[in-house]
Amino acid sequence: MSFQIIAARHPHDKDFPRATGINVRLSLLNGTFYSYQPYPFHQEYAGNEYIPLHDRSPNTHTGTNQLRTVIDDHVSMLFGDGHFPEVDTANAVVRKAAKDFIKDVGLVERMREAARIGSVGSVGIHLKVLQRPGGPARMFVDVHTTAFLTPEFDPYAPDTVLKVTELYKVRGERVREMGYSVPDDSLQSLWFVQRVWDDLGEWWFVPWKVEDQSRSDRPHVPVIDHDKSVTHELGFCPWVWVGGLNAEIDGPCTFEPGIEEAIQLDMLDSQIGRALKYTMDPTLLMLVPSAVPMMAAPVAGETSESEGQTPAGQGMAKTPSTVLTMDAEGDAKYLEIAGGGIEAASAYIKRQKSNLIETLHGDRVNPEEVTQGHQGAKSLEMLNASLLMHTEKLRVTYGEGALLRLLRMALKVMTSVTVTMNEEVVSVSGSWTDLALRWGDFYPLTPSDEDQTATALKSLIDTGIMSKETATKVIAGHYDIENVAEERAKVEAEQAAADLRAQAQTEHAAKIAPNKSSGLES
């Protein structure tokens, strides 16, 4: 079964050439990829015609489930518990505001969703600013699939979105539900719905019939619906686009190399029950008429009659060729299977799953094979080197390319609009040009790892290769050090206090030393 055969059965629309490819790959993530297969797997015939395998939906999803597991592994290593980056800046007000924003909008979960959806090639992240008349504003973050979204980038800054256009089709009855006037005879007709975001606002357009789009005598010109449209004048388009740039708005699908193998695994695992019956040494039961003599297997130490033949009507016998014969009217059927072929089938599936994980840079740690002994962080990093290298790429794409850009947008909003976050009014001032993300270790350090790290950092500091501040930055994520400069100031203050105590003790010892020598200690 081929991916292209199944994908061709999914809905296609000539007006949205990108949508089919994106939606088909999204269906692999949400488990609906086989929804358009004509027949269930157990149905072999439609009338008198045999149903080929490529027309059936597999009854097990071993491969596609494994594919989703690998994507979840990537997302977990990127934005999972303990892996979300810390915000780093010298401006304490900005740092707190950024952390409040992350908590208030549930950005950890939103970024996980974005990384999972974005694995198909692109994802859109929308920063919404909602404000009641006369009240403070609140910010929200929405994650969108991009099948019906088209970005426009700044030609002089190709990583900056100037405009995002949403265009899709709905039935006329849905247009009526949106509050527009639709004739009764057009309720089942297809209509275009369009919305545009730019640096000034969110613009809705009055829906129009699809058939009006292609009229040569009077081409349709979209009309802005000012009642639904909203002007925000933020000065920037509140969207972050993760994918390609300029004309190539979609990047590569990260799980594309494993799709064919995943489908093959689904079909193989669905077939394995039937395949075992034909490959695992079945015993054949033959019901032989009484007039036909039955072949009996020779028994050790005994001599069979008539060179191994038993007179008719004397019961049941099994030959060395796994044929079981009985005295009855003629018939034959498979009676049992020995089970010898299941090892080969299981080994093949296991090998294919391993190949799929390796192809997609998945987690290679098998809980059943992990030893009971010490598993240090560095050992796990070496074992999962492929997974971590891929996650490093995702950190650039979704960290510096998406999360950091979204944080800067939110901070710009806080400087111009009164914002409420976590039920507190927040205002931001000052500069955040040094805003950065600080990523932690992929695996928590063990006490042994901590000792080795401390020794190595001390050696680098003592030899003048690394400063104490840089060494603190290296371990900041693991020890939850929010601000390196403040931590260094605390350390220096404690060291200065310790030096003063040591100096005072030395001076006190010097004063009483003469008295001790003369025996007049006070």
Side-chain angles (χ1 to χ4, degrees), residues 198-325:
D198 58 19
D199 60 336
L200 297 178
E202 176 181 334
W203 311 104
W204 284 87
F205 291 80
V206 178
W208 67 97
K209 281 187 177 182
V210 172
E211 60 189 45
D212 294 340
Q213 182 75 18
S214 57
R215 292 182 57 176
S216 58
D217 58 332
R218 191 178 60 190
H220 178 78
V221 177
V223 178
I224 294 179
D225 185 343
H226 292 283
D227 292 334
K228 286 183 175 291
S229 299
V230 178
T231 302
H232 57 66
E233 298 182 354
L234 293 175
F236 59 88
C237 181
W239 276 80
V240 175
W241 189 274
V242 181
L245 298 175
N246 297 324
E248 297 181 359
I249 60 178
D250 297 316
C253 174
T254 59
F255 56 84
E256 186 85 25
I259 292 179
E260 292 286 358
E261 195 159 12
I263 295 172
Q264 181 184 3
L265 271 174
D266 287 347
M267 295 305 298
L268 177 63
D269 209 11
S270 299
Q271 290 176 282
I272 202 68
R274 180 179 299 125
L276 291 178
K277 297 178 182 179
Y278 294 99
T279 61
M280 296 195 303
D281 190 25
T283 297
L284 179 64
L285 172 64
M286 297 180 64
L287 302 179
V288 183
S290 301
V292 180
M294 296 185 300
M295 298 298 297
V299 180
E302 298 183 3
T303 302
S304 61
E305 299 183 27
S306 302
E307 299 180 355
Q309 293 185 353
T310 303
Q314 291 191 5
M316 178 175 64
K318 185 175 181 181
T319 69
S321 61
T322 69
V323 177
L324 188 66
T325 61

Side-chain angles (χ1 to χ4, degrees), residues 105-116:
V105 302
L107 194 56
V108 175
E109 186 58 34
R110 297 285 79 77
M111 291 306 298
R112 288 178 187 169
E113 183 183 1
R116 191 172 189 273

Side-chain angles (χ1 to χ4, degrees), residues 113-234:
E113 183 183 1
R116 191 172 189 273
I117 293 175
S119 63
V120 304
S122 59
V123 64
I125 306 173
H126 178 209
L127 176 64
K128 297 172 64 175
V129 183
L130 305 180
Q131 185 176 14
R132 296 181 185 275
R138 283 200 62 190
M139 291 186 288
F140 301 87
V141 173
D142 286 343
V143 177
H144 295 259
T145 60
T146 62
F148 302 103
L149 296 175
T150 304
E152 180 181 324
F153 297 97
D154 186 342
Y156 299 99
D159 58 347
T160 302
V161 177
L162 291 179
K163 181 173 69 173
V164 172
T165 301
E166 180 184 49
L167 182 65
Y168 57 94
K169 295 177 182 178
V170 295
R171 296 287 178 184
E173 54 190 5
R174 173 64 182 130
V175 177
R176 178 181 285 185
E177 292 175 358
M178 295 170 64
Y180 296 98
S181 176
V182 178
D184 291 340
D185 59 355
S186 298
L187 291 178
Q188 296 305 313
S189 300
L190 288 175
W191 295 63
F192 279 118
V193 177
Q194 181 174 342
R195 181 167 42 161
V196 174
W197 294 266
D198 58 19
D199 60 336
L200 297 178
E202 176 181 334
W203 311 104
W204 284 87
F205 291 80
V206 178
W208 67 97
K209 281 187 177 182
V210 172
E211 60 189 45
D212 294 340
Q213 182 75 18
S214 57
R215 292 182 57 176
S216 58
D217 58 332
R218 191 178 60 190
H220 178 78
V221 177
V223 178
I224 294 179
D225 185 343
H226 292 283
D227 292 334
K228 286 183 175 291
S229 299
V230 178
T231 302
H232 57 66
E233 298 182 354
L234 293 175

